[in-house]
Amino acid sequence: MAAVAAALVSLLVPAAGAHGAPAPRPGPPRPDVSRPVHSYENAVRESVWVDTGLDGDGDGRTDRVAADVVRPRESGRNGFRVPVIMDASPYYSCCGRGNESQKKTYDEDGAPLGMPLFYDNYFVPRGYAFVAVDLAGTSRSDGCVDVGGRSDVLSAKAVVDWLNGRARAYTTRTGTTRARAHWSTGATGMIGKSWDGTVANGVAATGVEGLKTIVPIGAISSWYDYYFSQGAPLYDSGPDRLAHYVESPEARARCQAVKRTLVEGAPRSGDLTPLWDARDYVPDASRVRASVLAVHGLQDLNVRTGHLGRWWQALAEQGVERRIWLSQVGHVDPFDFRRAEWVRTLHRWFDHYLLGYDNGVEREPMAVVERAPDQWTTDRTWPPAGTAAATLRPVPGAAPGVGGLGLRPAPAGTTETFTDDPSLGELDWAARIDAPTPDKAGFTTRPLTRDLRLSGSATVTVTAVPTTSSAHLTAVLVDLGPAVIRDYAAPGEGITTLPERTCWGASTSGDSACYKETAARTKDVGFTVVSRGWADLGTWADPRRGRPLTPGEPHTITLDLHAADHVVPAGHRLALILAGTDEGLVEGPSSTPTLTLDLARTHARVPFVGGPLAYTLATLPRARDGETAATPAPLLTGPDAPRPPRTLPLLPGAAR
């Protein structure tokens, strides 16, 4: 008993200290990590309904959102309080969470019985509470789903306020009996994948006091950029459809006015409207007080890495303490692609920022990057120190649409032409990069003589003359050469689920801590798409509003490519592809334009580790026997440029 009592004392959480973490109190020496000294089976399991102060459904009373709590039985007794790990989600009843699509379950009295994911099983015995919030309009909550807007964000923020004694909660959905978080220190960490992590970003951007850290996994930073890319539609629907997908049947009946707002405020024209401005968290990065552990799949074609790139840059500009995990998967939780290391990292992260452990996690390398399936590297900063953009310029080659890529501009008046083919996409273009096809223009470097690393967000500026009044553009960076990659376009998006289970925390009869293991699902390829970006050329003059193009007239636009981190190995080539509709990833325009590129006024700004010098050294021609390659060549490719042998992949079709 003495050992348990000492451990309990060591878990007491005092006031906040440096770096957003609680400052330690004098007491018995702490272990290096929090230990499972509390009974999970005997934990308190309760539901409360937090008053959001909003009336989203217009019924004349403020909305209450359901928050299901699992906490150590000792919490709230004799002054013992615990910090909170919180996952606010719209998916707990409609769709499930995690690789096994788990939903919340309740006993016959309506008390929480089973929670999705391992957070409660693992962390409650270690002196944390876990709180799972049903966003407004979902499951057992009042209000309406507004897809990233005030209702989403403020309903979750209200729970953080309640945990800090600033908001009211009740023991039932409609009753008057107050529920107080007397057991909470107020220190809260929000975590979640996809929409859940998006809400964490949004709540952090309110600057709410008590939110000490967030762990957004594959999360959105701007909802406009989820549905559009510089005016080009990425889906054939809007936020109203997503609201319909997750809302409760009761909310579906009472929230028609909110649905109309979502339809009217999000026109399929791709124009930026006030509705989208209210769902962009990046401008409020200056309000973020929480530390950030961001996780993203570099091949996530659902929530693309552009979301991460803009959010990360804004956080960096504000000096927010942050760390990043980048993997080769698609839209996948790190629990399912690097489980043991992820649990260890998350444990130490929460121990530091919520319990105040001085475990050094904030001094570890900022970035963890997957280079090849299950092969990981680290960087002290991200992008790494010395990263700078080089300006790469396309030039014509010996055949139409097959050109070179280097530092020297093409002669004035040089052009390339392609015709949009909505049935083709980036995999088709890359597979035929060296063939003159009418649907794309491709430009490649000579084979590299040394490895070349891209890290960060590239841009591509294009000047094009269309033949019709509407046109979409795609720019793609491709590593041309054989590799083994995670098969992000296949089911599982880079993982295979195995039948064996491993356990992460304590279990009860109603909530197992054991989950199916996974393994990397890999594929041999002849090229790897590194980054891509899309735009409606009609936004060339005003990024907030598209307009009809003038056929026969030049239009210049800069496409923002998605954040990337990739090493192009020696012997491979780097390619820039310019084309129209990227099949399966962006919707086609209303016409089928032919576009003529002005190559002298077209270029890419690509961030390389080592900057332009690294690019120059990697593209120097190979020295012949007895000679040195001291003087850079024109850096163009042509029919006599050497080509490494490579095997083209069987195309799986565009990933969705």
Side-chain angles (χ1 to χ4, degrees), residues 476-545:
V476 190
L477 291 174
V478 183
D479 171 354
L480 299 172
V484 178
I485 65 169
R486 286 187 183 261
D487 191 359
Y488 63 89
E493 299 185 50
I495 65 168
T496 296
T497 303
L498 306 174
E500 298 81 15
R501 292 181 180 271
T502 55
C503 303
W504 302 88
S507 297
T508 65
S509 59
D511 193 323
S512 173
C514 305
Y515 296 85
K516 291 182 178 179
E517 278 288 325
T518 69
R521 181 168 185 166
T522 63
K523 182 178 183 179
D524 293 326
V525 296
F527 59 81
T528 304
V529 174
V530 175
S531 183
R532 71 278 281 173
W534 311 287
D536 184 331
L537 187 56
T539 62
W540 68 277
D542 184 352
R544 297 191 62 87
R545 183 174 65 87

Side-chain angles (χ1 to χ4, degrees), residues 41 70 80 93 106 123 228-229 277 295 299 315 317 334 342 476 524 573 576 625 647:
E41 183 176 1
V70 183
F80 177 54
S93 65
Y106 301 90
F123 285 104
F228 296 94
S229 179
D277 291 337
V295 181
Q299 296 292 359
L315 295 175
E317 290 171 357
W342 175 242
V476 190
D524 293 326
R573 294 177 291 155
L576 169 65
D625 291 343
T647 303

Side-chain angles (χ1 to χ4, degrees), residues 279-479:
R279 289 159 174 78
D280 184 356
Y281 313 127
V282 175
D284 290 325
S286 61
R287 305 180 67 182
V288 175
R289 302 183 184 185
S291 63
V292 179
L293 172 56
V295 181
H296 223 103
L298 290 166
Q299 296 292 359
D300 190 339
L301 297 178
N302 180 353
V303 180
R304 295 152 296 280
T305 56
H307 292 276
L308 171 71
R310 286 183 288 275
W311 185 235
W312 183 264
Q313 180 61 32
L315 295 175
E317 290 171 357
Q318 298 301 324
V320 173
E321 195 162 348
R322 65 205 183 281
R323 189 173 167 187
I324 192 169
W325 272 39
L326 297 171
S327 71
Q328 286 195 346
V329 298
H331 200 53
V332 182
D333 192 297
F335 187 73
D336 295 313
F337 61 73
R338 203 187 185 198
R339 182 167 298 178
E341 183 60 23
W342 175 242
V343 174
R344 187 190 78 86
T345 297
L346 200 60
H347 184 180
R348 297 176 66 246
W349 187 266
F350 284 143
D351 274 0
H352 176 67
Y353 289 103
L354 299 181
L355 281 175
Y357 278 57
D358 185 13
N359 55 22
V361 70
E362 80 283 11
R363 298 186 293 274
E364 293 180 353
M366 177 182 285
V368 177
V369 183
E370 188 177 26
R371 284 279 153 249
D374 292 324
Q375 297 179 24
W376 298 85
T377 61
T378 62
D379 291 286
R380 295 302 306 176
T381 60
W382 194 85
T387 299
T391 300
L392 307 187
R393 302 179 184 278
V395 295
V402 181
L405 190 64
L407 299 176
R408 296 183 181 179
T414 306
T415 63
E416 287 286 5
T417 300
F418 64 84
T419 300
D420 191 358
D421 185 343
S423 69
L424 301 175
E426 58 192 41
L427 301 181
D428 304 289
W429 305 327
R432 303 190 66 193
I433 188 69
D434 295 319
T437 62
D439 48 85
K440 59 95 174 75
F443 309 93
T444 69
T445 67
R446 59 165 54 92
L448 304 184
T449 56
R450 61 176 69 187
D451 293 354
L452 183 63
R453 180 179 175 185
L454 296 77
S455 187
S457 301
T459 61
V460 177
T461 298
V462 175
T463 296
V465 177
T467 59
T468 61
S469 61
S470 65
H472 290 166
L473 280 171
T474 298
V476 190
L477 291 174
V478 183
D479 171 354

Side-chain angles (χ1 to χ4, degrees), residues 40-51:
Y40 180 71
E41 183 176 1
N42 295 326
V44 175
R45 293 170 171 81
E46 59 188 344
S47 299
V48 302
W49 278 261
V50 178
D51 192 324

Side-chain angles (χ1 to χ4, degrees), residues 18-34:
H19 306 298
R25 266 184 197 158
R30 289 187 172 186
D32 55 346
V33 291
S34 58

